[in-house]
Amino acid sequence: MAVQAVESVTTPAASPSFGPAVALSCRECGERFELGPLFACAVCFGPLEVAYELPAGDPEALRRRIEAGPANIWRYAPLLPVPADVADRPNLNPGLTKLVRTDNLARELGVTGGLYVKDDSGNPTHSFKDRVVAIAVEAARAFGFTTLSCSSTGNLAGAVGAAAARAGLKSCVFIPHDLEAGKVVMAAVYGGDLVGIEGTYDDVNRFCSELIGDPLGEGWGFVNVNLRPYYGEGSKTLAYEICEQLGWRLPDQIVVPIASGSQLTKIDKGLRELIALGLVEDRPYKIFGAQAEGCSPVSRAFKDGHDVVRPVKPDTIAKSLAIGNPADGPYVLDIARRTGGAVEDVTDAEIVDGIRLLARTEGIFAETAGGVTVGVTRKLIESGALDPALTTVVLNTGDGLKTLDAVAAGPTVTIRPSLDAFRSAGL
């Protein structure tokens, strides 16, 4: 499909298939393009994102409309690139996951201002990826794609397989060959094709980019490549939900895991949209990025004061975050610096400690990415970068059952079925 810039989109009309979305806008040069399966600017090759004409008028009326909506991300349909009847279509309907006030964890970490975990393990395939895929499915339908695809570090593969099955689409997803067994099973069980690629996620992603330009990829919607502008908008719903669940107010601080960096950038976009719409009070907030030390190119760039993120070869148990060349890395740096936040990383041992700490204090079993955010939160508090007296939200983006290999656990003791044996165990 040819990429063509259009001048008329400066004063556009919203498309029925894309709700309030009116164009794709280059994040680098600002050039606008018609809504389509495009992901790179034809002028400067910068990344494209969705531009909107968001509803104007009474913020209270919009709040009431949202609160009266379905108990999933479609309550925010007026702010997303989806049709008005999206809630009536076959979809996994993710979102509105729990925002858990974690007072036990707060005491362990010395937080006095209120600590919350946004627990996205409650989504249909037990990760936040269900949010982004739900938006991408609607774009795939609008563009007439028949096969849903992606490159994935694991969670996205399962989300795409499940969403495609529900929507009646074919699926073919691509993963590194050495993913955690739980994620491989979850990606394969939905009946689509699952292809393991020998190499890292970055190798998988490059392969998918080549496939898009080949006749073999005709009719395929790659959710994180040619549908990426729409897909990324699903992460905004995390920001919307957090603020609504806090009583329509901004968190003071939020800690977000970094893989490609898209989630963090879109959370910031969502917060700024809520401010512009008058749905929350405009006041300062800080966004912190969290990486594993074994794949921490954004953290390194932040600490070194660089604007360029140098690619690395991942080597960490946090495979869902193991993207050595994160596409949104430079934008993460901009947001962390603009909001007064930071980007930090933790070792694999600290990741496991974070998983155990959250499980022991709050009964939430996080996957390795959640161990990263908890570990980084503790590290940021200890360094003074994160203020323990302020309201803080930490993201857990997936279920620990997907990354069982990361945590060694078993029975405290094994005994014979008798009271004497139990007494002897000294429990």
Side-chain angles (χ1 to χ4, degrees), residues 81-103:
V82 295
D85 66 347
V86 64
D88 299 325
R89 299 179 173 215
N91 202 293
L92 293 181
N93 300 326
L96 210 61
T97 54
K98 293 180 180 179
L99 182 69
V100 183
R101 183 170 177 117
T102 51
D103 291 341

Side-chain angles (χ1 to χ4, degrees), residues 267-281:
I267 286 174
D268 178 65
K269 183 180 181 183
L271 296 177
R272 288 185 286 113
E273 286 176 351
L274 293 181
I275 292 170
L277 290 165
L279 293 175
V280 297
E281 179 186 355

Side-chain angles (χ1 to χ4, degrees), residues 286-310:
K286 295 182 179 182
I287 297 184
F288 297 87
Q291 291 202 291
E293 185 182 87
C295 186
S296 54
V298 186
S299 176
R300 291 183 189 180
F302 181 85
K303 293 174 182 178
D304 292 342
H306 295 161
D307 296 325
V308 175
V309 177
R310 297 183 181 277

Side-chain angles (χ1 to χ4, degrees), residues 169-190:
L169 299 171
K170 297 178 181 178
S171 68
C172 182
V173 299
F174 301 86
I175 59 173
H177 69 287
D178 60 349
L179 283 187
E180 301 97 334
K183 290 181 180 177
V184 173
V185 171
M186 195 162 195
V189 74
Y190 300 109

Side-chain angles (χ1 to χ4, degrees), residues 30-121:
E31 187 68 63
R32 287 194 166 197
F33 303 86
E34 293 179 350
L35 293 166
L38 316 172
F39 61 98
C41 176
V43 177
C44 72
F45 302 105
L48 300 178
E49 68 175 359
V50 178
Y52 297 91
E53 280 191 351
L54 292 174
D58 182 6
E60 288 298 330
L62 181 54
R63 281 196 199 98
R64 289 194 296 270
R65 179 180 177 185
I66 290 170
E67 291 168 351
N72 53 54
I73 63 171
W74 306 133
R75 67 200 286 112
Y76 308 109
L79 312 180
L80 297 170
V82 295
D85 66 347
V86 64
D88 299 325
R89 299 179 173 215
N91 202 293
L92 293 181
N93 300 326
L96 210 61
T97 54
K98 293 180 180 179
L99 182 69
V100 183
R101 183 170 177 117
T102 51
D103 291 341
N104 297 330
L105 178 62
R107 281 191 292 272
E108 289 271 350
L109 298 180
V111 175
T112 59
L115 180 64
Y116 298 83
V117 169
K118 181 59 172 171
D119 186 11
D120 245 24
S121 67

